[in-house]
Amino acid sequence: MAERGETTTVRSDWTLGEVRALFARPFMDLIFEAQRVHRRFQRPNAIQVSTLLSVKTGACPEDCGYCPQSVRHDTGLEPAELLEVETVAERARLAKASGATRFCMGAAYRSPKPKDLRKVIAMIRAVKDLGLETCATLGMLTAAQAHELKDAGLDYYNHNIDTSPAYYPKVIGTRSFQDRLDTLQAVRAAGMQVCCGGIVGMGEEPEDRVAMLHTLATLPTHPESVPINRLVRVAGTPLADSAPIDSFDFVRTIAVARLLMPRAHVRLSAGRAEMNDELQALCFLAGANSIFYGEKLLTTGNPDCEHDARLFDRLNLVAEPGPEESRVAATG
Ligand code: SAM
Ligand code: DTB
Ligand code: SF4
């Protein structure tokens, strides 16, 4: 039986005090411990590679203060209707050819309408047929919608808690923290894997980062993927002038996520375009083992593929095998 406070078992009973204490550890001790746990639970030197595509862009009725896609913020973004299934399939083919193993389709919805969901389901089937893992992020779901997506073969649903329960209402007014938890519960109950994380650098206090990770790590089952986004400050959004988070505080957030959720893939998500290679390497050392790969996130930029390929080479990182290669490895 492991002692409380040891970081080698998978626990969902973390206290706020314990999470706070992890953040307060000397930087080097924290990173060392995170890498120790990383090596125990994850493949060292392997990175899971996902590609994002915005399948429906902008004109979102929600008011999320960070988001360029809200209809309430004047960001100059050109809205676009739900893409055609063949267009999405073609983009997924390209993503697979360039090395991605998971394809994540994002739509700027508060929640999907039945007609839209039918079309997204056709997209999921087409992407799945290519041998890619599928992920979608479409806003709030009912239990029935979650089941429809699961039946269509959706592997992951992304729905972020975004920040702490206390800071959440300062950033988003059109839906509540509890709404987010309800959708996560519906996704889990339908049997899908959960991709859930948040954003840092939105002017939150360190205690908000403690509470955000505490919320994720005390879900009955940890999310399988935990995206940690560093705010992309888009002109025209209410958070455009937020002071950037200190780089080492960002790395600490990754390390604490790794320690709290040892089996999860922690994704170094939005914000990489503004990070140098050395900072990204430090994030990988702290336990990040997933990235979004491809020149665009949803509407903002991401490092170009050649740059990422070179970064992988320089750090001797390899892409984690996708579903097809894993099957071959298991049977052959
Ligand atoms: N509309 C759906 C929703 O909100 O769940 C799905 C798409 S939404 C763009 C997905 C996530 O992207 C948000 O929950 C947020 O965490 C992240 N995001 C949006 N804008 C961002 C920004 N400017 N910087 C960092 N992350 C951002
Ligand atoms: C996540 O946590 N980050 C991604 C994905 N899940 C959907 C989105 C980042 C969006 C960054 C701003 C943009 O490109 O619009
Ligand atoms: Fe809409 Fe999602 Fe952007 Fe919020 S984060 S404004 S729900 S697209």
Side-chain angles (χ1 to χ4, degrees), residues 260-299:
L260 296 177
M261 295 168 278
R263 285 199 220 283
H265 277 87
V266 175
R267 184 173 306 125
L268 178 56
S269 302
R272 284 200 306 120
E274 290 179 64
M275 294 176 203
N276 63 27
D277 290 352
E278 291 76 9
L279 175 55
Q280 293 186 60
L282 207 44
C283 291
F284 297 136
L285 188 66
N289 62 345
S290 171
I291 57 163
F292 285 125
Y293 179 65
E295 262 111 73
K296 216 170 173 191
L297 292 165
L298 291 173
T299 67

Side-chain angles (χ1 to χ4, degrees), residues 71-329:
V71 75
R72 298 156 197 250
H73 316 322
D74 189 6
T75 58
L77 180 71
E78 194 63 49
E81 294 294 322
L82 192 57
L83 297 178
E84 292 309 320
V85 175
E86 189 38 53
T87 309
V88 175
E90 183 52 30
R91 294 292 293 269
R93 254 176 239 122
L94 291 172
K96 186 177 178 188
S98 73
T101 57
R102 189 179 307 168
F103 193 70
C104 180
M105 293 159 271
Y109 294 135
R110 172 176 166 82
S111 54
K113 300 202 168 45
K115 183 164 138 282
D116 300 327
L117 196 67
R118 278 197 294 279
K119 200 165 169 188
V120 172
I121 281 174
M123 292 174 189
I124 292 165
R125 294 214 163 100
V127 174
K128 188 108 180 139
D129 282 350
L130 297 171
L132 284 159
E133 288 181 324
T134 52
C135 176
T137 180
L138 316 167
M140 295 188 278
L141 296 181
T142 63
Q145 288 176 320
H147 279 286
E148 276 186 75
L149 289 168
K150 168 70 184 166
D151 291 347
L154 188 63
D155 297 307
Y156 290 83
Y157 195 77
N158 165 252
H159 202 66
N160 291 338
I161 57 168
D162 284 336
T163 186
S164 68
Y167 198 59
Y168 189 95
K170 300 201 169 65
V171 178
I172 302 148
T174 47
R175 49 169 160 64
S176 68
F177 198 80
Q178 187 58 47
D179 289 331
R180 297 305 267 184
L181 297 178
D182 291 347
T183 292
L184 290 168
Q185 153 63 23
V187 169
R188 195 48 101 191
M192 281 181 285
Q193 299 184 78
V194 170
C195 172
C196 181
I199 312 176
V200 296
M202 299 197 292
E204 73 282 351
E205 296 293 329
E207 183 62 16
D208 293 306
R209 298 196 276 273
V210 169
M212 176 177 90
L213 292 187
H214 177 261
T215 302
L216 294 172
T218 55
L219 289 170
T221 306
H222 293 164
E224 281 75 14
S225 278
V226 178
I228 303 293
N229 296 279
R230 189 163 89 164
L231 177 70
V232 180
R233 294 170 300 158
V234 179
T237 60
L239 294 177
D241 297 325
S242 306
I245 180 176
D246 175 78
S247 293
F248 298 128
D249 286 342
F250 182 75
V251 177
R252 279 189 179 90
T253 308
I254 300 262
V256 175
R258 165 53 62 230
L259 288 170
L260 296 177
M261 295 168 278
R263 285 199 220 283
H265 277 87
V266 175
R267 184 173 306 125
L268 178 56
S269 302
R272 284 200 306 120
E274 290 179 64
M275 294 176 203
N276 63 27
D277 290 352
E278 291 76 9
L279 175 55
Q280 293 186 60
L282 207 44
C283 291
F284 297 136
L285 188 66
N289 62 345
S290 171
I291 57 163
F292 285 125
Y293 179 65
E295 262 111 73
K296 216 170 173 191
L297 292 165
L298 291 173
T299 67
T300 65
N302 200 39
D304 63 47
C305 293
E306 293 71 36
H307 190 104
D308 277 342
R310 171 101 188 97
L311 179 61
F312 273 41
D313 267 0
R314 290 172 73 204
L315 297 175
N316 315 101
L317 295 171
V318 295
E320 265 189 18
E324 285 172 338
E325 294 156 274
S326 306
R327 250 195 324 272
V328 173

